Amino acid sequence: MTASSPPDPLVLLAPRLLDGTGAAALPDAALWLDGARIAWVGPAAELPPGARGVATAELPGCTLLPGLVDVHVHLVASAGPDLASDIPRSEAERTLAAVANARRHLDAGVTLVRDLGATAAEAIAVGRAIEAGVVEGPRVIAAGPAVTMTGGHISYLGRVADGPEQLRAAVRANFAMGAVCIKVVATGGVLTKGLDPRVASYTQTELDALVDEAHRLGLQVAAHAIGEGGVAAALRAGVDSVEHGMFLDDESIELFLETGARYSATFSAREWIMRGETVPSWAKERARPAAEAHVPSFQAAVKAGVRIVAGTDAGTPENHHGRVAHEVVSMVEAGLDPLAGVRAVTAEGADLLGEPDRGVLRAGAVADVLAVDGDPSRDVTALTRPAAVFQSGRRVR
Ligand SMILES: [Zn+2]
């Protein structure tokens, strides 16, 4: 694999295609990949003359769709039972874990991920190595260490900062490290003893300063927020996405609609904490109240028209990398329309991550394409059955 030599042009033929925008399936579709970009998409019967002579690949029974987008992963973490103690101690080992976990996403058809918390610059470095063609994996939009308060959640994947000035300095330190987005921990967490997940960890003044500094530098902000008070404070500060959001009230839903921020419910994290046989009982106990509120919060958000994206929190207990398709299945089980689910895990996620040229199948877009066995608009579990994966026009699975 080299990043420099473009792949040969190829025409993919499949019984249906979903373009990622939420539009209904296009039957008997053709997708012309010309090097790293999509040249044309439409009905096979109308394939332009320029595509004659180009090699074709037929994918019987399959649906073509954009490569999937997981907006919340931790590449350094490998889904062991106890997040804090299972992350490797050395930076070298954490980086190697991130390489292996990145590959798992690509195998599942995930071509774009956002890493929301590493000990140091591991995910940033792996993202750069993928970009350079040194190792294989999805495109990585990395936050570096999460910004968290003294005594707050995931300090082992974070940078501790308190007060507006330290928060601005933390954003700058991550920026200097190569981060292209910022993760802020706005409430307590399930997997860290101490501060209750329902309690806000930063004041409004602190969050305002962090978001202002990040946006000033061109970095988007994702907020870990479980309790509704923390969710509302993060949204008032102007964050671009809320992660988890297990307790939503009318005010927080109204703020989502006002600001256009995306909601990444991370059902996978909660489901695997509750289901996982190896997960310690104290974590399950801490998760229980939030778990009960989670689906009703999500349903209220969907009903109100909040913009939904798909994030797994992969790397947390028993929550393995490369399973964002299962996140969509869970969201659909909770009431999301299947086509909206496909949109969440493709176009909507890519747009949130500042990559509007990914996550859609249209002429000129990056040729990141997934073929799945079946029709996700009728049976969303088809997303869990990848048949072929193309990244920048090159078949990688
Ligand atoms: Zn996370």
Side-chain angles (χ1 to χ4, degrees), residues 128-206:
R128 286 176 175 169
I130 291 166
E131 210 60 31
V134 176
V135 295
E136 291 192 327
R139 180 164 172 79
V140 179
I141 303 295
V147 181
T148 190
M149 74 166 212
T150 298
H153 176 54
I154 56 164
S155 56
Y156 49 90
L157 288 177
R159 182 186 296 287
V160 172
D162 302 298
E165 289 314 307
Q166 281 187 16
L167 286 169
R168 285 186 190 273
V171 168
R172 290 177 192 178
N174 281 4
F175 177 69
M177 192 182 253
V180 292
C181 60
I182 295 294
K183 159 87 168 285
V184 63
V185 178
T187 67
V190 166
L191 295 173
T192 308
K193 291 175 185 170
L195 189 66
D196 190 277
R198 202 126 182 209
V199 174
S201 47
Y202 283 124
T203 63
Q204 190 67 56
T205 311
E206 288 175 308

Side-chain angles (χ1 to χ4, degrees), residues 204 207 225 227-238 242 249 251-252 255:
Q204 190 67 56
L207 288 173
E228 56 275 62
V231 171
L235 288 168
R236 273 194 295 268
V242 168
D249 57 7
E251 188 196 13
S252 47
L255 283 163

Side-chain angles (χ1 to χ4, degrees), residues 105-380:
H105 285 282
L106 197 57
D107 281 338
V110 180
T111 49
L112 177 61
V113 301
R114 183 173 62 171
D115 190 280
L116 289 184
T119 312
E122 303 92 339
I124 294 169
V126 170
R128 286 176 175 169
I130 291 166
E131 210 60 31
V134 176
V135 295
E136 291 192 327
R139 180 164 172 79
V140 179
I141 303 295
V147 181
T148 190
M149 74 166 212
T150 298
H153 176 54
I154 56 164
S155 56
Y156 49 90
L157 288 177
R159 182 186 296 287
V160 172
D162 302 298
E165 289 314 307
Q166 281 187 16
L167 286 169
R168 285 186 190 273
V171 168
R172 290 177 192 178
N174 281 4
F175 177 69
M177 192 182 253
V180 292
C181 60
I182 295 294
K183 159 87 168 285
V184 63
V185 178
T187 67
V190 166
L191 295 173
T192 308
K193 291 175 185 170
L195 189 66
D196 190 277
R198 202 126 182 209
V199 174
S201 47
Y202 283 124
T203 63
Q204 190 67 56
T205 311
E206 288 175 308
L207 288 173
D208 288 350
L210 174 130
V211 174
D212 178 66
E213 188 64 25
H215 284 174
R216 198 179 66 77
L217 298 175
L219 311 177
Q220 59 156 223
V221 181
H224 158 109
I226 291 176
E228 56 275 62
V231 171
L235 288 168
R236 273 194 295 268
V239 301
D240 301 277
S241 72
V242 168
E243 310 298 313
H244 318 307
M246 288 156 142
F247 297 93
L248 299 183
D249 57 7
D250 290 347
E251 188 196 13
S252 47
I253 287 175
E254 196 50 49
L255 283 163
F256 268 113
L257 298 175
E258 264 172 42
T259 61
R262 267 64 162 222
Y263 176 31
S264 157
T266 68
F267 279 153
S268 307
R270 180 255 304 164
E271 285 171 0
W272 286 108
I273 288 168
M274 298 311 284
R275 274 164 64 184
E277 285 173 13
T278 65
V279 178
S281 54
W282 68 262
K284 289 181 193 284
E285 276 315 307
R286 279 180 73 86
R288 189 154 289 126
E292 283 164 11
H294 207 180
V295 169
S297 290
F298 179 78
Q299 290 169 336
V302 168
K303 192 162 172 245
V306 172
R307 300 176 78 171
I308 307 292
V309 290
T312 57
D313 212 357
T316 54
E318 297 209 16
N319 185 7
H320 292 276
H321 289 269
R323 293 202 302 209
V324 76
H326 293 274
E327 178 73 21
V328 183
V329 172
S330 293
M331 291 196 292
V332 169
E333 280 171 1
L336 188 66
D337 173 76
L339 282 174
V342 171
R343 180 184 161 87
V345 76
T346 56
E348 196 71 34
D351 192 63
L352 167 65
L353 270 47
E355 300 276 340
D357 262 7
R358 297 170 198 265
V360 286
L361 299 182
R362 63 161 180 247
V366 175
D368 287 353
V369 183
L370 167 64
V372 296
D373 183 19
D375 180 358
S377 64
R378 288 169 190 272
D379 171 13
V380 77

